[in-house]
Amino acid sequence: MSKTAMMRARIEPTLKMEAEAVLAKLGLSPTEAIRLFYHQILLQGGLPFDVPIPNAKTRAAIKEARKSRKLKTFKSAADLIRTVDA
């Protein structure tokens, strides 16, 4: 089948760079990874991983955490892991 359909997406530069580094270790290009992801969507009949909808208690906890002045945020998962490991 001819590969002529184009996709464009905007994501955070750090996320893109870190994800592509992982893909490179796996020997995959971003295009190959997207193709694999789409094949898995077809095979699974949906996303190939669970994406649960938070219940009322979880939504309340998320809302409360976001209001907290002591909430620590990170620009990337790698930054979080470095902080936890320190």
Side-chain angles (χ1 to χ4, degrees), residues 3-59:
K3 299 175 188 170
T4 58
M6 290 283 286
M7 293 179 54
R8 291 179 59 109
R10 293 191 179 275
I11 61 171
E12 298 86 356
T14 303
L15 173 60
K16 179 181 182 294
M17 181 183 67
E18 291 176 2
E20 287 179 359
V22 172
L23 291 173
K25 289 178 185 177
L26 294 170
L28 292 171
S29 70
T31 298
E32 291 165 328
I34 292 167
R35 190 176 302 114
L36 284 171
F37 179 62
Y38 270 53
H39 278 288
Q40 285 300 309
I41 290 170
L42 291 177
L43 290 170
Q44 300 292 325
L47 291 175
F49 46 82
D50 289 337
V51 183
I53 297 171
N55 62 26
K57 185 176 180 180
T58 302
R59 285 192 305 272

Short mmCIF file of all heavy atoms in Angstrom, two decimals, residues 3-59:
data_model
loop_
_atom_site.label_atom_id
_atom_site.label_comp_id
_atom_site.label_asym_id
_atom_site.label_seq_id
_atom_site.Cartn_x
_atom_site.Cartn_y
_atom_site.Cartn_z
N LYS A 3 2.29 4.79 0.89
CA LYS A 3 2.34 5.58 2.12
C LYS A 3 2.32 7.05 1.75
O LYS A 3 3.36 7.69 1.63
CB LYS A 3 3.60 5.24 2.91
CG LYS A 3 3.65 3.79 3.33
CD LYS A 3 4.97 3.48 4.00
CE LYS A 3 5.09 2.00 4.24
NZ LYS A 3 6.42 1.64 4.66
N THR A 4 1.12 7.60 1.60
CA THR A 4 1.01 8.99 1.17
C THR A 4 0.29 9.89 2.17
O THR A 4 0.30 11.10 2.01
CB THR A 4 0.27 9.08 -0.18
OG1 THR A 4 -1.02 8.49 -0.02
CG2 THR A 4 1.03 8.37 -1.28
N ALA A 5 -0.35 9.33 3.20
CA ALA A 5 -1.04 10.15 4.19
C ALA A 5 -0.03 10.81 5.11
O ALA A 5 0.94 10.20 5.53
CB ALA A 5 -2.01 9.29 5.01
N MET A 6 -0.27 12.10 5.38
CA MET A 6 0.64 12.85 6.25
C MET A 6 -0.02 13.11 7.59
O MET A 6 -1.24 13.28 7.67
CB MET A 6 0.97 14.21 5.61
CG MET A 6 1.84 14.13 4.39
SD MET A 6 3.55 13.83 4.81
CE MET A 6 4.00 15.42 5.43
N MET A 7 0.80 13.16 8.63
CA MET A 7 0.34 13.51 9.97
C MET A 7 1.25 14.61 10.50
O MET A 7 2.45 14.59 10.26
CB MET A 7 0.44 12.30 10.91
CG MET A 7 -0.49 11.20 10.58
SD MET A 7 -0.31 9.80 11.68
CE MET A 7 -0.50 10.55 13.27
N ARG A 8 0.66 15.54 11.24
CA ARG A 8 1.44 16.58 11.90
C ARG A 8 0.91 16.73 13.31
O ARG A 8 -0.31 16.70 13.53
CB ARG A 8 1.31 17.91 11.16
CG ARG A 8 1.99 17.90 9.81
CD ARG A 8 1.81 19.23 9.12
NE ARG A 8 2.37 20.32 9.91
CZ ARG A 8 3.47 20.99 9.60
NH1 ARG A 8 4.12 20.70 8.50
NH2 ARG A 8 3.89 21.98 10.35
N ALA A 9 1.80 16.88 14.24
CA ALA A 9 1.39 17.07 15.63
C ALA A 9 2.39 18.00 16.32
O ALA A 9 3.58 17.96 16.02
CB ALA A 9 1.34 15.73 16.36
N ARG A 10 1.89 18.79 17.23
CA ARG A 10 2.77 19.66 18.02
C ARG A 10 2.87 19.09 19.42
O ARG A 10 1.86 18.80 20.06
CB ARG A 10 2.20 21.08 18.08
CG ARG A 10 2.22 21.76 16.73
CD ARG A 10 1.92 23.24 16.90
NE ARG A 10 1.95 23.92 15.63
CZ ARG A 10 3.05 24.39 15.05
NH1 ARG A 10 4.22 24.23 15.63
NH2 ARG A 10 2.99 25.00 13.89
N ILE A 11 4.12 18.89 19.86
CA ILE A 11 4.37 18.41 21.22
C ILE A 11 5.53 19.20 21.81
O ILE A 11 6.25 19.91 21.09
CB ILE A 11 4.68 16.89 21.25
CG1 ILE A 11 5.93 16.56 20.45
CG2 ILE A 11 3.50 16.08 20.76
CD1 ILE A 11 6.40 15.13 20.63
N GLU A 12 5.72 19.06 23.10
CA GLU A 12 6.81 19.75 23.77
C GLU A 12 8.14 19.25 23.23
O GLU A 12 8.33 18.04 23.05
CB GLU A 12 6.76 19.49 25.28
CG GLU A 12 5.51 19.99 25.96
CD GLU A 12 4.38 18.99 25.92
OE1 GLU A 12 4.53 17.92 25.31
OE2 GLU A 12 3.32 19.30 26.50
N PRO A 13 9.08 20.16 22.96
CA PRO A 13 10.38 19.76 22.40
C PRO A 13 11.12 18.74 23.26
O PRO A 13 11.72 17.80 22.74
CB PRO A 13 11.16 21.07 22.31
CG PRO A 13 10.12 22.13 22.23
CD PRO A 13 8.96 21.62 23.05
N THR A 14 11.05 18.90 24.59
CA THR A 14 11.75 17.96 25.48
C THR A 14 11.15 16.57 25.38
O THR A 14 11.87 15.57 25.34
CB THR A 14 11.73 18.48 26.93
OG1 THR A 14 12.32 19.77 26.97
CG2 THR A 14 12.50 17.56 27.85
N LEU A 15 9.82 16.50 25.36
CA LEU A 15 9.15 15.21 25.23
C LEU A 15 9.57 14.53 23.93
O LEU A 15 9.90 13.34 23.91
CB LEU A 15 7.63 15.40 25.27
CG LEU A 15 6.77 14.17 24.98
CD1 LEU A 15 7.04 13.06 25.99
CD2 LEU A 15 5.30 14.55 24.97
N LYS A 16 9.57 15.28 22.85
CA LYS A 16 9.97 14.74 21.54
C LYS A 16 11.40 14.21 21.59
O LYS A 16 11.67 13.08 21.18
CB LYS A 16 9.85 15.82 20.47
CG LYS A 16 10.25 15.37 19.07
CD LYS A 16 10.12 16.54 18.08
CE LYS A 16 10.45 16.15 16.67
NZ LYS A 16 11.83 15.79 16.45
N MET A 17 12.31 15.01 22.12
CA MET A 17 13.72 14.62 22.16
C MET A 17 13.93 13.37 23.01
O MET A 17 14.61 12.43 22.60
CB MET A 17 14.55 15.77 22.74
CG MET A 17 16.04 15.49 22.80
SD MET A 17 16.95 16.84 23.57
CE MET A 17 16.35 16.74 25.25
N GLU A 18 13.31 13.34 24.20
CA GLU A 18 13.50 12.19 25.09
C GLU A 18 12.86 10.93 24.53
O GLU A 18 13.43 9.84 24.62
CB GLU A 18 12.95 12.51 26.48
CG GLU A 18 13.78 13.56 27.20
CD GLU A 18 13.21 13.97 28.54
OE1 GLU A 18 12.17 13.43 28.97
OE2 GLU A 18 13.81 14.86 29.16
N ALA A 19 11.68 11.05 23.94
CA ALA A 19 11.02 9.89 23.35
C ALA A 19 11.81 9.36 22.15
O ALA A 19 11.97 8.14 21.99
CB ALA A 19 9.59 10.24 22.94
N GLU A 20 12.32 10.26 21.33
CA GLU A 20 13.09 9.83 20.16
C GLU A 20 14.40 9.17 20.57
O GLU A 20 14.89 8.27 19.87
CB GLU A 20 13.31 10.99 19.20
CG GLU A 20 12.03 11.35 18.46
CD GLU A 20 12.18 12.52 17.51
OE1 GLU A 20 13.28 13.10 17.40
OE2 GLU A 20 11.17 12.85 16.85
N ALA A 21 14.96 9.56 21.71
CA ALA A 21 16.17 8.89 22.21
C ALA A 21 15.85 7.44 22.59
O ALA A 21 16.64 6.53 22.30
CB ALA A 21 16.74 9.65 23.41
N VAL A 22 14.70 7.23 23.21
CA VAL A 22 14.27 5.87 23.55
C VAL A 22 14.02 5.06 22.28
O VAL A 22 14.47 3.91 22.16
CB VAL A 22 13.01 5.89 24.45
CG1 VAL A 22 12.46 4.48 24.64
CG2 VAL A 22 13.31 6.55 25.79
N LEU A 23 13.33 5.68 21.32
CA LEU A 23 13.06 4.98 20.06
C LEU A 23 14.36 4.60 19.35
O LEU A 23 14.46 3.51 18.79
CB LEU A 23 12.19 5.85 19.15
CG LEU A 23 10.75 6.07 19.61
CD1 LEU A 23 10.06 7.08 18.70
CD2 LEU A 23 9.98 4.76 19.67
N ALA A 24 15.35 5.49 19.38
CA ALA A 24 16.64 5.19 18.74
C ALA A 24 17.29 3.97 19.37
O ALA A 24 17.85 3.13 18.67
CB ALA A 24 17.56 6.41 18.83
N LYS A 25 17.19 3.85 20.70
CA LYS A 25 17.73 2.68 21.39
C LYS A 25 17.03 1.40 20.94
O LYS A 25 17.61 0.32 20.94
CB LYS A 25 17.62 2.83 22.90
CG LYS A 25 18.56 3.86 23.47
CD LYS A 25 18.37 3.99 24.97
CE LYS A 25 19.23 5.10 25.53
NZ LYS A 25 19.01 5.30 26.97
N LEU A 26 15.77 1.54 20.58
CA LEU A 26 14.99 0.40 20.09
C LEU A 26 15.17 0.15 18.60
O LEU A 26 14.66 -0.81 18.06
CB LEU A 26 13.50 0.63 20.37
CG LEU A 26 13.09 0.66 21.84
CD1 LEU A 26 11.65 1.15 21.97
CD2 LEU A 26 13.26 -0.70 22.48
N GLY A 27 15.90 1.07 17.94
CA GLY A 27 16.11 0.93 16.50
C GLY A 27 14.90 1.35 15.68
O GLY A 27 14.73 0.87 14.56
N LEU A 28 14.07 2.22 16.25
CA LEU A 28 12.86 2.66 15.56
C LEU A 28 12.92 4.15 15.26
O LEU A 28 13.39 4.94 16.07
CB LEU A 28 11.62 2.42 16.43
CG LEU A 28 11.23 0.97 16.70
CD1 LEU A 28 10.13 0.92 17.74
CD2 LEU A 28 10.79 0.30 15.43
N SER A 29 12.39 4.52 14.12
CA SER A 29 12.22 5.93 13.81
C SER A 29 10.86 6.36 14.38
O SER A 29 10.00 5.52 14.66
CB SER A 29 12.22 6.15 12.29
OG SER A 29 11.03 5.61 11.73
N PRO A 30 10.66 7.66 14.54
CA PRO A 30 9.34 8.12 14.98
C PRO A 30 8.21 7.65 14.05
O PRO A 30 7.14 7.26 14.50
CB PRO A 30 9.46 9.65 14.97
CG PRO A 30 10.92 9.89 15.22
CD PRO A 30 11.62 8.78 14.48
N THR A 31 8.47 7.65 12.76
CA THR A 31 7.46 7.18 11.80
C THR A 31 7.12 5.71 12.03
O THR A 31 5.94 5.33 12.04
CB THR A 31 7.97 7.38 10.35
OG1 THR A 31 8.18 8.78 10.14
CG2 THR A 31 6.98 6.85 9.33
N GLU A 32 8.15 4.88 12.25
CA GLU A 32 7.90 3.45 12.51
C GLU A 32 7.12 3.26 13.81
O GLU A 32 6.23 2.41 13.90
CB GLU A 32 9.22 2.70 12.56
CG GLU A 32 9.90 2.61 11.22
CD GLU A 32 11.36 2.18 11.32
OE1 GLU A 32 12.04 2.51 12.32
OE2 GLU A 32 11.82 1.51 10.38
N ALA A 33 7.45 4.05 14.83
CA ALA A 33 6.75 3.95 16.11
C ALA A 33 5.28 4.32 15.96
O ALA A 33 4.41 3.65 16.52
CB ALA A 33 7.42 4.84 17.15
N ILE A 34 4.99 5.37 15.21
CA ILE A 34 3.60 5.77 14.98
C ILE A 34 2.86 4.69 14.22
O ILE A 34 1.72 4.36 14.54
CB ILE A 34 3.54 7.13 14.25
CG1 ILE A 34 4.04 8.25 15.18
CG2 ILE A 34 2.12 7.43 13.76
CD1 ILE A 34 4.32 9.56 14.49
N ARG A 35 3.52 4.13 13.21
CA ARG A 35 2.90 3.05 12.43
C ARG A 35 2.58 1.85 13.34
O ARG A 35 1.48 1.28 13.29
CB ARG A 35 3.82 2.61 11.29
CG ARG A 35 3.15 1.68 10.30
CD ARG A 35 4.03 1.31 9.10
NE ARG A 35 4.45 2.50 8.37
CZ ARG A 35 5.73 2.94 8.29
NH1 ARG A 35 6.69 2.27 8.87
NH2 ARG A 35 6.02 4.01 7.60
N LEU A 36 3.52 1.48 14.22
CA LEU A 36 3.28 0.39 15.17
C LEU A 36 2.11 0.72 16.10
O LEU A 36 1.26 -0.14 16.37
CB LEU A 36 4.53 0.13 16.01
CG LEU A 36 5.66 -0.62 15.34
CD1 LEU A 36 6.91 -0.59 16.23
CD2 LEU A 36 5.26 -2.05 15.05
N PHE A 37 2.08 1.95 16.59
CA PHE A 37 1.00 2.38 17.48
C PHE A 37 -0.34 2.25 16.78
O PHE A 37 -1.30 1.70 17.33
CB PHE A 37 1.27 3.82 17.93
CG PHE A 37 0.21 4.38 18.83
CD1 PHE A 37 -0.06 3.82 20.07
CD2 PHE A 37 -0.51 5.50 18.44
CE1 PHE A 37 -1.02 4.35 20.90
CE2 PHE A 37 -1.48 6.05 19.27
CZ PHE A 37 -1.73 5.47 20.50
N TYR A 38 -0.44 2.72 15.56
CA TYR A 38 -1.69 2.63 14.80
C TYR A 38 -2.10 1.17 14.54
O TYR A 38 -3.28 0.83 14.63
CB TYR A 38 -1.59 3.41 13.49
CG TYR A 38 -2.01 4.85 13.62
CD1 TYR A 38 -1.47 5.67 14.60
CD2 TYR A 38 -2.97 5.39 12.79
CE1 TYR A 38 -1.86 6.99 14.73
CE2 TYR A 38 -3.37 6.71 12.92
CZ TYR A 38 -2.82 7.50 13.89
OH TYR A 38 -3.22 8.80 14.03
N HIS A 39 -1.12 0.31 14.24
CA HIS A 39 -1.44 -1.11 14.05
C HIS A 39 -1.99 -1.70 15.35
O HIS A 39 -2.95 -2.49 15.32
CB HIS A 39 -0.20 -1.90 13.60
CG HIS A 39 0.06 -1.81 12.14
ND1 HIS A 39 -0.71 -2.43 11.20
CD2 HIS A 39 1.03 -1.16 11.46
CE1 HIS A 39 -0.24 -2.18 9.99
NE2 HIS A 39 0.82 -1.39 10.12
N GLN A 40 -1.42 -1.32 16.48
CA GLN A 40 -1.91 -1.83 17.76
C GLN A 40 -3.33 -1.31 18.06
O GLN A 40 -4.14 -2.04 18.61
CB GLN A 40 -0.95 -1.46 18.90
CG GLN A 40 0.30 -2.30 18.91
CD GLN A 40 -0.01 -3.78 19.08
OE1 GLN A 40 -0.74 -4.18 19.99
NE2 GLN A 40 0.53 -4.59 18.19
N ILE A 41 -3.61 -0.09 17.68
CA ILE A 41 -4.97 0.43 17.85
C ILE A 41 -5.96 -0.43 17.07
O ILE A 41 -7.03 -0.79 17.58
CB ILE A 41 -5.06 1.91 17.38
CG1 ILE A 41 -4.31 2.82 18.35
CG2 ILE A 41 -6.53 2.35 17.25
CD1 ILE A 41 -4.14 4.25 17.87
N LEU A 42 -5.59 -0.80 15.85
CA LEU A 42 -6.47 -1.66 15.06
C LEU A 42 -6.61 -3.05 15.69
O LEU A 42 -7.72 -3.58 15.79
CB LEU A 42 -5.93 -1.80 13.63
CG LEU A 42 -5.99 -0.54 12.77
CD1 LEU A 42 -5.35 -0.83 11.40
CD2 LEU A 42 -7.42 -0.07 12.61
N LEU A 43 -5.49 -3.64 16.09
CA LEU A 43 -5.52 -4.98 16.67
C LEU A 43 -6.29 -5.03 17.98
O LEU A 43 -7.01 -6.00 18.26
CB LEU A 43 -4.10 -5.50 16.90
CG LEU A 43 -3.30 -5.84 15.65
CD1 LEU A 43 -1.84 -6.09 16.00
CD2 LEU A 43 -3.89 -7.05 14.95
N GLN A 44 -6.16 -4.00 18.81
CA GLN A 44 -6.80 -3.97 20.12
C GLN A 44 -8.23 -3.43 20.06
O GLN A 44 -8.98 -3.55 21.02
CB GLN A 44 -5.99 -3.11 21.09
CG GLN A 44 -4.58 -3.57 21.33
CD GLN A 44 -4.52 -4.89 22.07
OE1 GLN A 44 -5.35 -5.17 22.94
NE2 GLN A 44 -3.55 -5.71 21.73
N GLY A 45 -8.57 -2.77 18.96
CA GLY A 45 -9.88 -2.15 18.86
C GLY A 45 -9.99 -0.92 19.76
O GLY A 45 -11.06 -0.56 20.23
N GLY A 46 -8.88 -0.27 19.99
CA GLY A 46 -8.82 0.92 20.85
C GLY A 46 -7.37 1.17 21.22
O GLY A 46 -6.46 0.58 20.63
N LEU A 47 -7.17 2.01 22.21
CA LEU A 47 -5.80 2.27 22.64
C LEU A 47 -5.18 0.99 23.20
O LEU A 47 -5.86 0.24 23.90
CB LEU A 47 -5.77 3.39 23.69
CG LEU A 47 -6.12 4.78 23.18
CD1 LEU A 47 -6.17 5.77 24.35
CD2 LEU A 47 -5.13 5.25 22.14
N PRO A 48 -3.90 0.76 22.94
CA PRO A 48 -3.27 -0.48 23.40
C PRO A 48 -2.80 -0.42 24.86
O PRO A 48 -1.91 -1.15 25.26
CB PRO A 48 -2.09 -0.64 22.43
CG PRO A 48 -1.75 0.75 22.02
CD PRO A 48 -3.06 1.50 22.00
N PHE A 49 -3.41 0.45 25.64
CA PHE A 49 -3.13 0.55 27.07
C PHE A 49 -4.35 1.15 27.74
O PHE A 49 -5.19 1.79 27.09
CB PHE A 49 -1.87 1.40 27.35
CG PHE A 49 -1.84 2.70 26.58
CD1 PHE A 49 -2.52 3.82 27.02
CD2 PHE A 49 -1.13 2.79 25.39
CE1 PHE A 49 -2.49 5.01 26.31
CE2 PHE A 49 -1.09 3.97 24.67
CZ PHE A 49 -1.77 5.08 25.12
N ASP A 50 -4.49 0.92 29.04
CA ASP A 50 -5.65 1.44 29.77
C ASP A 50 -5.56 2.94 29.94
O ASP A 50 -4.49 3.48 30.25
CB ASP A 50 -5.74 0.80 31.16
CG ASP A 50 -6.14 -0.66 31.10
OD1 ASP A 50 -6.76 -1.06 30.09
OD2 ASP A 50 -5.84 -1.40 32.05
N VAL A 51 -6.68 3.60 29.73
CA VAL A 51 -6.80 5.03 29.99
C VAL A 51 -8.09 5.20 30.81
O VAL A 51 -9.14 5.52 30.27
CB VAL A 51 -6.87 5.85 28.68
CG1 VAL A 51 -6.93 7.34 29.00
CG2 VAL A 51 -5.70 5.54 27.78
N PRO A 52 -7.98 4.95 32.12
CA PRO A 52 -9.18 5.01 32.95
C PRO A 52 -9.64 6.45 33.17
O PRO A 52 -8.84 7.38 33.22
CB PRO A 52 -8.75 4.37 34.26
CG PRO A 52 -7.27 4.56 34.31
CD PRO A 52 -6.79 4.55 32.88
N ILE A 53 -10.95 6.61 33.30
CA ILE A 53 -11.53 7.91 33.63
C ILE A 53 -11.53 8.00 35.15
O ILE A 53 -12.05 7.10 35.82
CB ILE A 53 -12.95 8.03 33.06
CG1 ILE A 53 -12.90 7.96 31.54
CG2 ILE A 53 -13.62 9.31 33.55
CD1 ILE A 53 -14.25 7.87 30.88
N PRO A 54 -10.91 9.05 35.70
CA PRO A 54 -10.84 9.15 37.17
C PRO A 54 -12.22 9.24 37.80
O PRO A 54 -13.10 9.93 37.28
CB PRO A 54 -10.03 10.42 37.42
CG PRO A 54 -9.68 11.00 36.11
CD PRO A 54 -10.30 10.18 35.04
N ASN A 55 -12.38 8.56 38.94
CA ASN A 55 -13.65 8.64 39.66
C ASN A 55 -13.71 9.96 40.43
O ASN A 55 -12.76 10.75 40.43
CB ASN A 55 -13.84 7.43 40.58
CG ASN A 55 -12.76 7.35 41.65
OD1 ASN A 55 -12.17 8.35 42.04
ND2 ASN A 55 -12.50 6.14 42.11
N ALA A 56 -14.82 10.22 41.10
CA ALA A 56 -15.03 11.49 41.79
C ALA A 56 -13.96 11.75 42.86
O ALA A 56 -13.47 12.86 43.00
CB ALA A 56 -16.43 11.52 42.42
N LYS A 57 -13.58 10.71 43.59
CA LYS A 57 -12.58 10.86 44.65
C LYS A 57 -11.22 11.25 44.05
O LYS A 57 -10.53 12.14 44.56
CB LYS A 57 -12.46 9.57 45.44
CG LYS A 57 -11.54 9.64 46.62
CD LYS A 57 -11.56 8.35 47.41
CE LYS A 57 -10.63 8.42 48.61
NZ LYS A 57 -10.64 7.18 49.38
N THR A 58 -10.85 10.61 42.95
CA THR A 58 -9.57 10.92 42.29
C THR A 58 -9.60 12.32 41.70
O THR A 58 -8.63 13.08 41.81
CB THR A 58 -9.26 9.87 41.20
OG1 THR A 58 -9.23 8.58 41.80
CG2 THR A 58 -7.93 10.15 40.53
N ARG A 59 -10.71 12.70 41.07
CA ARG A 59 -10.83 14.06 40.51
C ARG A 59 -10.70 15.11 41.60
O ARG A 59 -10.04 16.14 41.42
CB ARG A 59 -12.15 14.23 39.75
CG ARG A 59 -12.16 13.53 38.40
CD ARG A 59 -13.35 13.95 37.55
NE ARG A 59 -14.65 13.78 38.20
CZ ARG A 59 -15.37 12.67 38.18
NH1 ARG A 59 -14.95 11.61 37.51
NH2 ARG A 59 -16.54 12.61 38.79
#
